Amino acid sequence: MPGNFDVKYVAHLARIALTPAEEEQFGAQLSNILGYIEKLNQIDVSQIEPTAHAVPLVNVFRADEVRPSLSNEEALANAPAKANGLFIVPKIVE
Amino acid sequence: MLNELTIWELAGKLERREVSALEIMRACLDRIERVEGSIHSFISYDAADALEQAAAADRHLVGGTTRRQKPLLGIPIAIKDVLAVRGQPLNCGSKILGQFISPYDATVIEKLREAGAIVFGRLNMDEFAMGSSTENSSFGPTRNPWDTSRIPGGSSGGSAAAVAADECIAALGSDTGGSIRQPAALCGCVGLKPTYGRVSRYGLVAFASSLDQIGPLAKDARDAALVLGAISGHDARDSTSVEGTAPDYTAALDGRIKGLKLGLAKEYMIGGLDGEVGAAVQAAVSQYEKLGAEIVEISLPRTEFAVATYYIIATAEASANLARFDGIRYGRRVEGSDPIDLYCKTRGAGFGAEVKRRIILGAYVLSSGYYDAYYLRAQKVRTLIRRDFLNAFDKVDAIITPTSPTAAFKIGEKADDPLQMYLSDIFTISCNLAGICGLSLPCGFTASPKLPIGLQLLGKPFGEETLLRLAHAYEQITPWHNEKPPLER
């Protein structure tokens, strides 16, 4: 895939605006990195289970009870825009 | 100077009331003022808060609190800018967090406070811990105390440089692919990445959640053991932290390593290994033999695939974890015509180049049509890499390797070639993929310029005691960990 890596498309999927200069630079660098990653095709993994996580863990449950957490004020303390105890965001529904 | 001493030396002096915590903290702050202009380990530090904590520690000492009750009482420990400290800024070396102030303490910070430590400073790092040189910090690079034209390693470069330059007594870092061990090696201190699950990650800004782990950077193995003991243990707020309490790691430091088996992996004798680094590691192997360890040749056949596997898994996890930096709930916001436009502009302006590259790569390997070819395949290779290590640990107690293929390189030397930068992680990243533990300790210097060389010890899952035992025994017969960089004293 390295040859036709569409950096503009993937950057949009990742919600990152790139300048034309970044598109050109990252496109070349990422094609180079993906070329290197092709190395993994040399290994036969057909009989191998994937590892998501190195430590074998089962689901960790706790009782569904209210516990102390951040206050409304604390949760909003770092907000870039807030009013009336809420985050302010751009209009979503017309 | 007090700031040059170890935790255990200072703890003794504090207990005998020869010094006060205030004097120790002041010595660190004086040192910071003198050398920060040339090193830049810290993004910021709150001197007033640190002195207040020191005064509180002194009141505890006067009140009769003992080292046994609070093993780090009155000891200044500096913190990588990736961990939440209540009331202090948190930036992860990035512009995107703006004026963020942490609303709570990470679990490791709570634990350090319980142990009596003075928790201070925001140590510089590669943005979101992505990098091997600390050049990716949006606050400017940290410089290596041994040669200020060179990088300190990364991503915990600020942590390693601050410990090496005696600006603090010990520090916390985080390690996703070598970010504690590699800077420790390049700055000449001890750095330990605990086994995945040993230390709670609650309050650590996530980079790659299946790989991240918090650990100490310290002046010697005993100090690393003291800090690890303080921060380890189960935490209900991190579902990946393991049950049970951690052992007393200092109990393992009796100098006895006779009969321990050390593995040498033939795959680690790579072409890119610097001659002086190779020679120093060989000398360390001989010294371990003299101490009574048995050297066993082992094989880790998938070593050459580790870098590729890592840069798929780590970037995939990062692309999901860093989705939270969207300009809505915290940090900087760049307004847009609609929410998507706001996200794109905020992230375009807020993230630096390496973070953008990795998020884009991660989004790509997870995207429809490429998931199986990249992400799933990498997870399967991860199984094989882990299996290689577990097979090796059937035969040996620990594995001995260089930490980094070269000593510290020049600032700017690899900045334009991300792949070359990634390949310098070859010896450290498998450890995170396999979920085992690893430690780097000083094992010599290059001749000219004089730069530290790091020896890496890799251990079984939850085998930290063995690594600390080995490191401590080596320190008893070598001078390297006592050497200080040629900064103005």
Side-chain angles (χ1 to χ4, degrees):
Chain A
M1 277 332 107
N4 53 29
F5 177 69
D6 185 349
V7 67
K8 206 170 172 170
Y9 172 72
V10 186
H12 184 72
L13 284 182
R15 303 290 183 251
I16 295 175
L18 297 181
T19 63
E22 284 178 321
E23 277 173 21
E24 194 179 323
Q25 190 196 20
F26 295 171
Q29 289 170 331
L30 289 169
S31 294
N32 187 24
I33 293 164
L34 283 166
Y36 176 78
I37 283 173
E38 295 290 320
K39 207 176 166 62
L40 294 190
N41 292 330
Q42 297 166 21
I43 308 184
D44 177 9
V45 291
S46 53
Q47 305 301 315
I48 308 297
E49 287 295 312
T51 296
H53 213 278
V55 178
L57 276 177
V58 290
N59 281 333
V60 179
F61 294 111
R62 65 168 174 81
D64 186 14
E65 288 163 354
V66 177
R67 295 183 178 198
S69 59
L70 296 183
S71 65
N72 180 285
E73 197 177 276
E74 286 172 315
L76 286 169
N78 288 297
K82 60 186 166 182
N84 304 326
L86 302 166
F87 295 105
I88 301 294
V89 299
K91 200 169 179 181
I92 293 167
V93 184
E94 288 300 329
Chain B
M1 299 303 280
L2 292 174
N3 54 305
E4 296 179 18
L5 301 181
T6 60
I7 296 174
W8 55 275
E9 286 166 335
L10 289 169
K13 286 182 181 294
L14 283 165
E15 202 166 64
R16 294 188 299 271
R17 312 299 308 280
E18 293 167 23
V19 299
S20 69
L22 259 177
E23 288 171 308
I24 298 170
M25 191 65 239
R26 284 206 186 103
C28 291
L29 291 171
D30 286 350
R31 178 67 172 166
I32 290 170
E33 265 179 37
R34 280 206 306 280
V35 302
E36 264 302 270
S38 49
I39 307 294
H40 188 45
S41 307
F42 289 86
I43 293 172
S44 68
Y45 58 95
D46 185 340
D49 177 66
L51 290 168
E52 218 168 275
Q53 291 181 61
D58 281 329
R59 287 195 294 276
H60 270 289
L61 284 157
V62 170
T65 306
T66 64
R67 221 193 310 188
R68 200 184 190 82
Q69 292 164 307
K70 290 188 182 288
L72 302 176
L73 188 56
I75 304 295
I77 297 188
I79 307 299
K80 186 179 180 180
D81 189 30
V82 71
L83 288 161
V85 177
R86 188 181 167 87
Q88 296 293 333
L90 189 158
N91 291 97
C92 285
S94 180
K95 285 187 293 192
I96 204 164
L97 275 149
Q99 304 298 311
F100 189 91
I101 301 292
S102 295
Y104 63 88
D105 275 341
T107 297
V108 290
I109 302 300
E110 279 182 358
K111 283 177 169 284
L112 285 181
R113 292 195 202 281
E114 277 163 29
I118 301 165
V119 171
F120 84 105
R122 306 302 304 169
L123 289 165
N124 201 15
M125 57 185 280
D126 287 298
E127 184 178 4
F128 287 102
M130 296 179 185
S132 310
S133 68
T134 318
E135 292 168 289
N136 296 335
S137 168
S138 66
F139 296 87
T142 295
R143 292 166 182 275
N144 193 309
W146 290 89
D147 176 348
T148 53
S149 70
R150 292 174 189 269
I151 57 103
S155 66
S156 310
S159 304
V163 171
D166 294 311
E167 294 175 288
C168 57
I169 309 304
L172 291 189
S174 64
D175 190 316
T176 304
S179 281
I180 290 174
R181 292 161 286 154
Q182 184 256 17
L186 302 193
C187 289
C189 44
V190 174
L192 195 162
K193 185 207 89 75
T195 307
Y196 189 81
R198 178 77 287 175
V199 177
S200 167
R201 294 177 295 111
Y202 179 77
L204 168 73
V205 177
F207 160 15
S209 303
S210 80
L211 306 167
D212 297 340
Q213 194 64 191
I214 302 163
L217 292 101
K219 293 176 189 179
D220 67 9
R222 183 176 294 277
D223 278 11
L226 281 164
V227 178
L228 180 66
I231 63 174
S232 293
H234 179 249
D235 177 17
R237 294 175 297 190
D238 175 1
S239 62
T240 65
S241 91
V242 296
E243 297 283 344
T245 51
D248 173 7
Y249 292 106
T250 58
L253 310 182
D254 58 12
R256 299 216 312 250
I257 65 161
K258 209 174 169 60
L260 283 181
K261 292 196 175 93
L262 283 179
L264 262 185
K266 54 176 188 258
E267 291 83 1
Y268 280 33
M269 300 300 135
I270 56 164
L273 183 63
D274 174 82
E276 286 179 284
V277 173
V281 172
Q282 266 313 321
V285 169
S286 307
Q287 275 157 321
Y288 271 117
E289 272 186 305
K290 275 188 211 134
L291 285 166
E294 187 187 332
I295 307 299
V296 180
E297 187 171 301
I298 56 157
S299 177
L300 298 167
R302 278 71 170 218
T303 297
E304 65 166 310
F305 302 104
V307 172
T309 304
Y310 176 85
Y311 280 94
I312 293 174
I313 290 173
T315 59
E317 293 184 17
S319 74
N321 273 327
L322 272 66
R324 74 193 60 181
F325 301 101
D326 57 6
I328 299 297
R329 289 154 300 165
Y330 39 71
R332 279 178 54 169
R333 174 186 290 189
V334 179
E335 295 294 344
S337 51
D338 58 51
I340 305 271
D341 191 41
L342 182 153
Y343 299 153
C344 291
K345 283 180 175 161
T346 297
R347 291 157 64 81
F351 289 137
E354 181 62 17
V355 174
K356 288 178 188 172
R357 269 194 295 269
R358 293 206 198 183
I359 292 175
I360 292 168
L361 181 58
Y364 179 71
V365 300
L366 288 175
S367 65
S368 171
Y370 299 105
Y371 180 93
D372 285 1
Y374 290 111
Y375 186 64
L376 190 63
R377 174 170 285 269
Q379 284 193 313
K380 290 178 177 176
V381 180
R382 183 177 184 181
T383 303
L384 295 172
I385 290 169
R386 178 167 162 80
R387 210 178 274 173
D388 282 353
F389 277 94
L390 297 183
N391 287 341
F393 285 129
D394 281 343
K395 301 188 202 83
V396 298
D397 298 290
I399 297 168
I400 187 165
T401 85
T403 307
S404 168
T406 65
F409 47 89
K410 291 266 190 186
I411 289 176
E413 194 177 319
K414 297 186 183 179
D416 296 329
D417 191 345
L419 184 57
Q420 279 314 305
M421 189 78 92
Y422 298 173
L423 290 171
S424 71
D425 300 339
I426 176 76
F427 298 130
T428 51
I429 53 179
S430 301
C431 172
N432 303 70
L433 289 167
I436 58 174
C437 56
L439 179 151
S440 179
L441 74 159
C443 74
F445 290 89
T446 59
S448 181
K450 185 179 179 181
L451 300 170
I453 298 170
L455 180 75
Q456 181 177 237
L457 300 167
L458 298 173
K460 296 177 185 182
F462 305 104
E464 287 84 357
E465 282 175 288
T466 302
L467 299 187
L468 289 162
R469 173 185 293 278
L470 285 163
H472 172 259
Y474 178 80
E475 286 174 352
Q476 303 315 301
I477 59 161
T478 54
W480 317 119
H481 63 291
N482 289 323
E483 300 237 6
K484 298 287 186 190
L487 288 165
E488 174 226 342
R489 303 294 333 154

